[in-house]
Amino acid sequence: MTRRQPDRNLALDLARVTEAAALASARWLGLGNKEDGDEAAVDAMRISFQAMDINGRVVIGEGEKDKAPMLYNGEPVGSGVGPRMDIAVDPVEGTRLLAHGRPNAISVVAMTPEGSMYSPGPAFYMNKLVVPPEAEGMVDINEPVEKILQKVAQAKNKEVKDLVVFVLDKERHKVLIADIRAAGARIQLHTDGDVAGALMAVIPGTGIDIMMGTGGTPEGVLAAVAVRVLGGEMQAKLDPQSDMEKKRVLEAGRDINKVLKMNDLVDSDDVFFAATGITDGTFLKGVDFTGKGAKTFSLVMRGLTGTVRNVESRHRFDKLMRVSSIKYD
């Protein structure tokens, strides 16, 4: 086997980016203003990217879907010197969670070699299925809900009634929720945060066995990078939520009937992922302000080595503010 010398783990650099966004946005926790919290995270993330030696381009940004502040699609990030990388960002995944002080708001960035990250174009929404490593290769998103649940239960050596399914609490999921209940499984309904839901489905001990339902395409691609590293399986289908979105998706030549599998969503193992908790959550604690600084908690992954790190960081604002133009206090 050909061996290569270890090179720089860019995921650790990404953690600095998500930490900055989390620290900046956490000041808005529970204040009821999701736009200002999101804008603080976007500004901090954009500044932090400048310190990374990459020639990056935002392929998956946020903003157009919900008129939020945004790192726009096509925006260059990084110093411009270094590897050419595709970037997916969600400065605040769960802006409503942050605004209302609810669990599982996180800041997320994923990065892959140029050309290896799925670009959904005008598609804002996709239907997603995420299952844990035990059920990898056993499921099909086109199958009836009951059959999918039976296969996951079998893979996990459980009964269907033992399963807990993560579903976004949206009107569009009325039939899905009814089908899950009819099959006998249990449900956790969340108002937002399906990147967190996908991670919970593949990380042991979170209380979630599977994620199902339609959410944002940016969140879908971000989740796919993490699932590729952690193990498990993700499948998706574009699922326009309006006639105008459907028209634009079809005009862009996208097939809404195609099942997007892992290699369609992320076509490389040389991927990087970082997420930092903003509010306390199931698998990541939120920002803990200490009076003179803060503590942050991050999940950092490198696909090439399969390394997953839980990083606890302590930040001193008196020192940090001397070298940073980001307002943390």
Side-chain angles (χ1 to χ4, degrees), residues 302-321:
R302 185 184 188 189
L304 200 61
T305 60
T307 304
V308 180
R309 290 180 170 90
N310 288 95
V311 178
E312 178 179 332
S313 303
R314 292 172 173 81
H315 310 269
R316 282 184 54 179
F317 290 154
D318 60 336
K319 288 182 173 289
L320 191 57
M321 293 299 293

Side-chain angles (χ1 to χ4, degrees), residues 68-312:
M70 62 189 293
L71 279 152
Y72 61 86
N73 291 350
E75 179 172 347
V77 295
S79 67
V81 177
R84 302 181 70 88
M85 307 296 288
D86 287 345
I87 312 290
V89 302
D90 201 343
V92 179
E93 203 244 345
T95 53
R96 279 183 291 268
L97 301 179
L98 171 62
H100 298 294
R102 295 172 181 158
N104 292 322
I106 58 177
S107 179
V108 195
V109 176
M111 186 164 65
T112 71
E114 184 181 44
S116 60
M117 182 182 291
Y118 179 73
S119 177
F124 296 152
Y125 291 92
M126 59 169 50
N127 184 22
K128 309 165 195 176
L129 171 65
V130 182
V131 299
E134 300 95 319
E136 188 173 348
M138 296 178 61
V139 296
D140 183 340
I141 195 172
N142 286 324
E143 291 180 325
V145 169
E146 181 179 15
K147 190 169 184 180
I148 293 172
L149 294 174
Q150 288 171 348
K151 288 182 176 180
V152 174
Q154 180 184 1
K156 299 198 74 170
N157 197 26
K158 292 184 175 185
E159 300 291 332
V160 171
K161 65 183 180 182
D162 299 327
L163 298 179
V164 178
V165 186
F166 180 105
V167 181
L168 291 178
D169 189 8
K170 307 292 183 182
E171 180 64 26
R172 61 180 176 263
H173 290 148
K174 186 175 181 179
V175 173
L176 172 62
I177 291 168
D179 287 345
I180 293 170
R181 289 172 174 163
R186 297 170 294 155
I187 301 173
Q188 271 194 23
L189 290 173
H190 293 253
T191 57
D192 299 276
D194 61 346
V195 173
L199 290 170
M200 285 189 272
V202 298
I203 295 175
T206 64
I208 297 294
D209 298 288
I210 181 172
M211 191 198 84
M212 306 179 82
T214 294
T217 48
E219 292 84 355
V221 177
L222 279 160
V225 174
V227 172
R228 188 171 185 113
V229 181
L230 290 166
E233 184 171 358
M234 179 173 178
Q235 297 178 15
K237 294 176 69 175
L238 299 182
D239 189 16
Q241 294 298 296
S242 69
D243 291 340
M244 179 59 70
E245 182 186 356
K246 183 176 181 179
K247 180 175 183 291
R248 289 175 176 172
V249 169
L250 293 176
E251 286 176 347
R254 305 304 171 98
D255 183 356
I256 62 175
N257 295 312
K258 179 180 179 180
V259 176
L260 300 168
K261 298 190 176 181
M262 289 301 303
N263 283 342
D264 297 307
L265 296 167
V266 187
D267 188 22
S268 175
D269 285 322
D270 194 13
V271 301
F272 305 91
F273 178 94
T276 300
I278 303 173
T279 63
D280 283 344
T282 304
F283 64 96
L284 278 176
K285 292 180 65 178
V287 175
D288 180 11
F289 289 106
T290 61
K292 295 183 178 180
K295 290 194 292 185
T296 56
F297 305 85
S298 302
L299 185 65
V300 182
M301 309 180 202
R302 185 184 188 189
L304 200 61
T305 60
T307 304
V308 180
R309 290 180 170 90
N310 288 95
V311 178
E312 178 179 332

